[in-house]
Amino acid sequence: MNGKNMKSILTRTGMALLILISALAATQADAEDNFVFWPEADYDPAIPTFKDVLGYKPGERITWHGDAVRYFEALGKAAPDRISVMPYAESWEGRELIYAVVSSARNMARINEIKANMQQLADPRKTSKAKAQEIIENQPAITWLSYGVHGNEISSTEAAMLTAYHLLASRGDKRVADIMRDTVVVIDPMQNPDGRDRFIHHFEMAEGLAPDSDRISAEHNEPWPGGRTNHYLFDMNRDWFIMTQPETQGRVKILQEWYPVSFVDAHEMGSDSTYYFAPEAVPFNPHLAADQRSSLTLFGKNNARWFDTFGIDYFTREVFDAFYPGYGASWPSYFGSIAMTYEQASARGLVVRQYDGNDLSYAYTIRNHFVTSLSTAETTALNRKKFLTDFYNYRASAIDEGEKDSIRSYILPIQADQAAVNKLTGLLVRQGIEVGRADSSFDACGASYPAGTFVINTAQPAKRFIRTLMDVNVPMDENFLAEQERRRAKNLRDEIYDVTAWSLPLMMNVKVDTCYRSISGPFTAAGTDLVQAGTVSGGTGSVAYLVPWGSAPAVRLLVNAMQKGLAVKSSDKAFTHGEVHYPAGTLILDAADNPENMSETITELARQTGADVVSVDNSWVTDGPNFGSYNAVRFNQPKVAIVWDQPTSSYSAGNTRFIVERQFDLPVTAIRASQLINSNLGRYQVLILPESGWGRGYADFLGKKGTANLKDWVKKGGVLIGLGNANRYLADPNIDLLSIRRENAVVETGNGKSAGSVKKNGDKPMEATVKGSNLADAAAYQESITPDKDKPDSVAGVLVRSDVDPDHWLGAGVAPTLNVLVRGSDIYSPIKMDKGVNVAVFRGADDLLASGYIWEQNRKQLAYKPFVVAQRSGKGYVIGFTQDPNVRAYLDGLNIIFMNAILRGSAHARPIR
Ligand SMILES: [Zn+2]
């Protein structure tokens, strides 16, 4: 859930709650001591309750990760014939992620066969229709219930525990018997244990004598960074197809072992709402099958039936679309599941007062997720045969589509950044996509490709996911877009929930060819490795080792070489040695500057980082600067700091730190913004300002003193890197660390010509009346009510092309064109040549958009505006990235220019060393 759609929910809530009041009066009173989670349940005392194991009843406390695991282990001990609990991942902070498999003893006794059957149904090339029907006859369908991917959305973990308890302990309940017989229920009780325990820690610290329902009380206000995200502050509900985090990697792996036919991701939303479940909002991803959409209604209707029985209010359809494939509620759809998000209004503690005065208790929120969990398993059981058949048909029809499609194969030619190709193919294979590596050369669609070229034929069960991830564009429904334009014209908020572009080849800057025919092998199946070991080639290396720049492995090699004390320098310009052309930024490790055993170290570094290294036995360069040229700068292992805590955006701070530390092995010191005001930053060569979370952000937070401290540090040789809206601070005329300026919206006049930026009234005295006017027609009326916007409209997220200046060191080894994710409303004027360099500039309006849906005005205004600017200041630099290059750590194509800013920035700065 994000906050942007809360307004529409709020208006409904008032009415909805009136209806609920009588029902609530009873249930809320019960919450005081004996909340009824399931009326008239008869439970087997041999199965341990919450209270038996943890000492409290559900809803009385918020359960820590360790205690939830303990409870599931207790259930496992009490009913080993019907539940098995297994680990699937470990969080960054060392917490174990577990899942529980629950079913009848009969099903559990043949659980491996059930898993194997799903693998057979998943591949119609190996399993005939007749065989599939035979399997389905005697096969339970798997229900997958996932809880708490956002750690501060707390109620779902207790609901998971109650669901498991209820399934194991209920006696004489036909519904439970049906579920246990016809489905296997997989429960992932806590997808984000680090975030959850962070939330509980802060909550318990703020608790007093009694639970406080006041939303302004400390227990309802999480300090930065909040519990939503994991350790590196990722929103893991966006991470599914890029799998940067260990928690996601583990889930993706086990899901493909089980292939559930239904999947629920249980969330919480704002406290004043009710409950949301399927069917989801438009737009629907056009690559999915029609029955996946119609089946959503089966789940929704069954949930509604139970909510009517309990007197619980809910809504469907209005928000939460599944267009973006990186949600929990969308990713499983692409292997053929029916994936859904459920959202409960959050108590964000043990009780919260809603705007109408009702106290929403934690127990009540747990109960609602518990009811929909059982209802979902029931729907799966009742529709067992249909869902299994739909699953098989989804996979079979995907192959059929792939055999007829206009795109029948994707070919990844051998290219300069082959490491990016390796990573892309590894990512695809991890998600169940079959990728082949050609054993010999082949011709296809008018081109020749050498052995080693990767090929993806679309005639395979994962075809729809291949199109979704590999295509330049996934089109949004025309009617939906027309409605968004209509809303925008009325100054209503658009309903686009997340980015509209995510093409993996564009984001990773990998060249892809498409072909209208499939490519026949021989192929070797590509594996799941994201990095292939690098090698050292060439002569003895008696003079130097060269590492061509421009790929992630070369950056890792540089960082690790410096950490091992090797001396590395680099040419800012391209050169030719022998017959070989080396790109700008190529690393040079001179034998003369380094220890005698360097060759062993280099061989090991190449293997470990994936970088390919060339050894040379002479220094003679046939074109371009020599190794000893003034164009070759020496690297200094930089100490890097990032601003942490308020006022930064936790996503930007955490995800940036993740990239630098975990993808490039360079440690980053996190410094709370308050420390920047007075501290001596002289120990650091680089300071990163992530995006700011709110308002004037850094300017207000740092004040004059902090800004003066930063300026002084830059002048003495520091490299200050601003990301995204941190440039509002750097470019603020009162701060003036960077000589770009943020632009107002361009105002279009009636004749279509730009009237320039909005002029503010300044200090002119206010008039009591305004000039009269005749509004002759509807257009004039429309113009008269159109506000004088002071900033451009906000863009949900599009990929936009940006050209790189090859003459600047920031562009060394960087691809000539980058695809940048543009979000929000920030557009900056270019820097003047006497002040600095526009190192990367957005393309002209007609050639700007690479993928996604952009407002016309933004498309025009973004043209030729800077993406990356560098400005010298004293002995240091200020570098601005006007859009955050590190969003979700999924814009690999921007890694080199960002790491250039850190590594080459500090090499080019001139502090007193
Ligand atoms: Zn959520």
Side-chain angles (χ1 to χ4, degrees):
M1 167 74 203
N2 70 19
K4 87 176 211 186
N5 293 298
M6 279 316 304
K7 221 174 173 180
S8 63
I9 297 167
L10 263 177
T11 50
R12 290 176 49 80
T13 311
M15 251 183 3
L17 282 170
L18 276 176
I19 304 164
L20 254 185
I21 273 175
S22 55
L24 282 176
T27 48
Q28 299 293 320
D30 287 342
E32 294 295 316
D33 76 315
N34 196 21
F35 188 90
V36 178
F37 287 91
W38 196 264
E40 290 159 32
D42 173 27
Y43 289 129
D44 176 359
I47 304 298
T49 64
F50 249 72
K51 187 140 196 173
D52 295 337
V53 179
L54 305 177
Y56 57 86
K57 286 188 261 182
E60 289 180 346
R61 305 292 315 149
I62 306 167
T63 305
W64 291 85
H65 163 262
D67 289 338
V69 172
R70 202 149 58 82
Y71 184 64
F72 274 98
E73 283 169 353
L75 292 179
K77 252 187 208 151
D81 58 332
R82 288 171 293 147
I83 178 170
S84 106
V85 182
M86 287 166 282
Y88 72 84
E90 189 182 297
S91 73
W92 289 110
E93 293 172 15
R95 294 183 179 88
E96 194 172 57
L97 284 86
I98 58 157
Y99 70 113
V101 180
V102 183
S103 196
S104 67
R106 208 166 146 224
N107 286 333
M108 293 301 281
R110 61 173 194 113
I111 197 71
N112 287 331
E113 183 196 324
I114 290 169
K115 271 172 93 172
N117 284 345
M118 287 316 294
Q119 296 296 327
Q120 281 196 270
L121 292 179
D123 196 348
R125 293 166 301 187
K126 294 178 189 152
T127 311
S128 70
K129 210 162 185 167
K131 175 73 186 163
Q133 274 167 354
E134 191 192 315
I135 291 172
I136 289 167
E137 229 17 75
N138 192 30
Q139 171 78 357
I142 292 155
T143 308
W144 197 287
L145 305 171
S146 275
Y147 301 89
V149 71
H150 295 140
N152 59 0
E153 299 174 3
I154 41 184
S155 60
S156 68
T157 293
E158 271 86 354
M161 296 157 73
L162 263 183
T163 302
Y165 171 73
H166 187 83
L167 290 175
L168 296 172
S170 285
R171 290 189 295 203
D173 183 336
K174 181 180 176 307
R175 191 161 95 131
V176 169
D178 289 350
I179 290 170
M180 295 293 270
R181 184 188 63 237
D182 288 338
T183 80
V184 172
V185 182
V186 179
I187 295 171
D188 179 350
M190 198 183 301
Q191 299 180 72
N192 179 9
D194 290 353
R196 183 178 177 90
D197 277 8
R198 186 187 311 139
F199 175 89
I200 299 174
H201 178 70
H202 290 304
F203 174 79
E204 292 194 349
M205 276 168 59
E207 278 189 297
L209 186 60
D212 201 321
S213 65
D214 191 344
R215 67 182 65 205
I216 68 165
S217 66
E219 64 193 61
H220 288 289
N221 276 273
E222 295 174 80
W224 193 101
R228 177 181 175 89
T229 49
N230 75 342
H231 175 79
Y232 274 107
L233 310 183
F234 278 76
D235 182 342
M236 291 194 289
N237 195 33
R238 302 293 185 276
D239 190 47
W240 280 80
F241 65 85
I242 200 74
M243 292 183 289
T244 60
Q245 301 305 297
E247 297 93 334
T248 319
Q249 289 163 12
R251 279 191 279 283
V252 163
K253 193 157 179 288
I254 51 167
L255 269 164
Q256 296 176 98
E257 291 171 12
W258 291 89
Y259 286 128
V261 297
S262 61
F263 179 98
V264 168
D265 206 28
H267 289 256
E268 286 185 348
M269 54 188 166
S271 301
D272 294 298
S273 194
T274 57
Y275 196 99
Y276 166 89
F277 50 72
E280 69 204 18
V282 288
F284 200 62
N285 189 309
H287 290 301
L288 289 172
D291 58 52
Q292 286 177 297
R293 189 165 200 191
S294 57
S295 291
L296 295 171
T297 307
L298 297 175
F299 289 96
K301 280 189 166 171
N302 202 43
N303 290 348
R305 188 167 65 89
W306 282 102
F307 272 28
D308 287 348
T309 308
F310 280 89
I312 308 165
D313 213 358
Y314 65 90
F315 69 99
T316 64
R317 295 188 191 90
E318 286 165 276
V319 281
F320 309 120
D321 69 66
F323 190 70
Y324 173 78
Y327 304 122
S330 54
W331 187 88
S333 306
Y334 294 94
F335 66 66
S337 185
I338 304 152
M340 298 165 280
T341 184
Y342 292 173
E343 303 261 357
Q344 163 65 49
S346 183
R348 281 291 189 278
L350 295 176
V351 61
V352 69
R353 180 147 307 168
Q354 297 179 308
Y355 276 120
D356 63 359
N358 176 62
D359 278 350
L360 177 68
S361 77
Y362 189 43
Y364 183 80
T365 63
I366 293 168
R367 198 274 313 270
N368 295 350
H369 268 325
F370 166 56
V371 170
T372 54
S373 296
L374 289 176
S375 166
T376 302
E378 183 187 35
T379 306
T380 309
L382 291 173
N383 296 277
R384 178 186 74 80
K385 274 193 192 176
K386 172 185 160 45
F387 291 160
L388 287 168
T389 309
D390 287 352
F391 174 77
Y392 176 80
N393 288 341
Y394 174 93
R395 315 273 299 178
S397 61
I399 300 169
D400 287 348
E401 280 182 19
E403 276 164 359
K404 295 175 200 133
D405 217 345
S406 55
I407 298 175
R408 295 192 56 194
S409 57
Y410 296 83
I411 304 168
L412 308 171
I414 307 276
Q415 46 203 281
D417 189 359
Q418 191 63 14
V421 178
N422 293 336
K423 181 168 174 185
L424 173 58
T425 57
L427 274 175
L428 296 176
V429 173
R430 286 178 181 203
Q431 297 177 78
I433 293 170
E434 295 162 12
V435 181
R437 189 181 188 143
D439 293 338
S440 50
S441 61
F442 64 92
D443 295 335
C445 285
S448 295
Y449 299 92
T453 302
F454 287 104
V455 173
I456 306 162
N457 285 320
T458 55
Q460 55 171 295
K463 179 257 167 182
R464 298 184 179 99
F465 202 29
I466 297 171
R467 293 290 310 262
T468 300
L469 296 182
M470 295 294 288
D471 279 5
V472 167
N473 226 352
V474 174
M476 277 184 153
D477 180 64
E478 294 283 329
N479 296 328
F480 173 79
L481 289 175
E483 170 64 9
Q484 302 321 308
E485 291 291 0
R486 187 192 70 82
R487 292 180 63 88
R488 199 166 71 96
K490 287 191 75 177
N491 209 30
L492 297 171
R493 198 188 274 281
D494 73 72
E495 298 164 325
I496 302 176
Y497 196 77
D498 204 90
V499 298
T500 59
W502 55 76
S503 165
L504 277 180
L506 287 180
M507 296 201 299
M508 299 176 83
N509 233 343
V510 167
K511 180 176 157 26
V512 178
D513 296 339
T514 57
C515 186
Y516 52 81
R517 68 174 184 83
S518 64
I519 316 296
S520 42
F523 297 128
T524 302
T528 53
D529 286 346
L530 303 182
V531 179
Q532 303 293 329
T535 57
V536 181
S537 61
T540 58
S542 56
V543 169
Y545 291 95
L546 305 177
V547 187
W549 193 246
S551 68
V555 180
R556 281 195 292 273
L557 185 138
L558 169 59
V559 169
N560 284 283
M562 287 191 289
Q563 282 165 1
K564 287 182 185 300
L566 298 187
V568 191
K569 60 191 181 182
S570 171
S571 173
D572 286 341
K573 306 218 172 300
F575 62 89
T576 306
H577 183 276
E579 299 288 297
V580 185
H581 177 79
Y582 291 89
T586 293
L587 306 179
I588 304 164
L589 293 95
D590 275 331
D593 295 343
N594 279 296
E596 274 182 31
N597 68 347
M598 178 168 66
S599 83
E600 289 157 39
T601 314
I602 283 284
T603 306
E604 175 52 26
L605 284 177
R607 193 194 59 75
Q608 168 203 328
T609 63
D612 286 324
V613 181
V614 184
S615 69
V616 294
D617 57 12
N618 71 76
S619 65
W620 188 249
V621 163
T622 49
D623 190 29
N626 290 103
F627 299 171
S629 158
Y630 60 87
N631 275 306
V633 293
R634 184 166 169 158
F635 287 103
N636 295 278
Q637 188 180 346
K639 264 189 83 64
V640 180
I642 191 165
V643 187
W644 207 243
D645 211 329
Q646 288 179 24
T648 73
S649 145
S650 59
Y651 295 136
S652 180
N655 299 4
T656 297
R657 190 185 195 190
F658 167 81
I659 287 180
V660 181
E661 290 196 336
R662 299 292 175 170
Q663 299 195 328
F664 296 107
D665 303 336
L666 189 60
V668 176
T669 302
I671 299 180
R672 294 188 207 285
S674 53
Q675 297 293 326
L676 298 179
I677 299 169
N678 291 313
S679 302
N680 177 1
L681 298 170
R683 290 186 294 284
Y684 297 93
Q685 284 75 51
V686 177
L687 176 66
I688 302 167
L689 259 56
E691 288 215 280
S692 165
W694 60 79
R696 263 166 50 84
Y698 291 108
D700 284 353
F701 209 93
L702 298 175
K704 280 194 173 134
K705 209 170 169 198
T707 297
N709 195 27
L710 281 189
K711 281 188 175 177
D712 179 58
W713 172 78
V714 171
K715 288 218 158 69
K716 286 177 177 156
V719 178
L720 184 62
I721 302 172
L723 305 182
N725 70 16
N727 287 287
R728 293 183 193 175
Y729 164 69
L730 301 178
D732 180 336
N734 301 309
I735 307 291
D736 200 26
L737 270 155
L738 199 51
S739 298
I740 55 173
R741 293 292 176 261
R742 189 172 168 217
E743 292 189 354
N744 291 323
V746 175
V747 177
E748 300 272 349
T749 63
N751 60 16
K753 282 188 185 154
S754 161
S757 294
V758 176
K759 295 235 163 43
K760 291 266 178 179
N761 233 356
D763 297 327
K764 261 195 259 170
M766 298 294 218
E767 302 274 353
T769 53
V770 299
K771 214 170 102 185
S773 66
N774 294 325
L775 300 179
D777 52 21
Y781 164 71
Q782 193 60 39
E783 204 172 314
S784 76
I785 63 169
T786 303
D788 298 332
K789 284 185 197 164
D790 58 357
K791 60 184 180 77
D793 271 348
S794 183
V795 175
V798 293
L799 289 165
V800 155
R801 296 187 185 92
S802 165
D803 289 326
V804 178
D805 179 354
D807 288 328
H808 195 274
W809 48 261
L810 258 174
V814 175
T817 304
L818 301 174
N819 300 306
V820 180
L821 183 73
V822 167
R823 300 191 302 175
S825 60
D826 288 15
I827 300 174
Y828 293 84
S829 55
I831 198 165
K832 304 263 193 232
M833 283 192 284
D834 59 334
K835 300 283 191 189
V837 179
N838 299 286
V839 182
V841 176
F842 295 124
R843 285 249 181 109
D846 293 341
D847 203 19
L848 180 85
L849 187 65
S851 176
Y853 189 77
I854 190 170
W855 312 122
E856 189 59 11
Q857 285 82 351
N858 296 63
R859 187 177 67 87
K860 289 182 187 161
Q861 197 176 343
L862 269 171
Y864 301 110
K865 300 295 159 58
F867 165 49
V868 184
V869 293
Q871 180 171 354
R872 183 139 206 177
S873 176
K875 295 184 165 83
Y877 283 94
V878 179
I879 299 170
F881 289 77
T882 60
Q883 293 286 330
D884 185 349
N886 303 326
V887 177
R888 299 173 187 173
Y890 71 6
L891 299 165
D892 278 26
L894 305 181
N895 282 170
I896 303 300
I897 194 164
F898 175 65
M899 292 307 290
N900 273 353
I902 293 176
L903 298 164
R904 292 177 192 278
S906 60
H908 277 270
R910 292 281 177 269
I912 293 160
R913 298 197 200 263

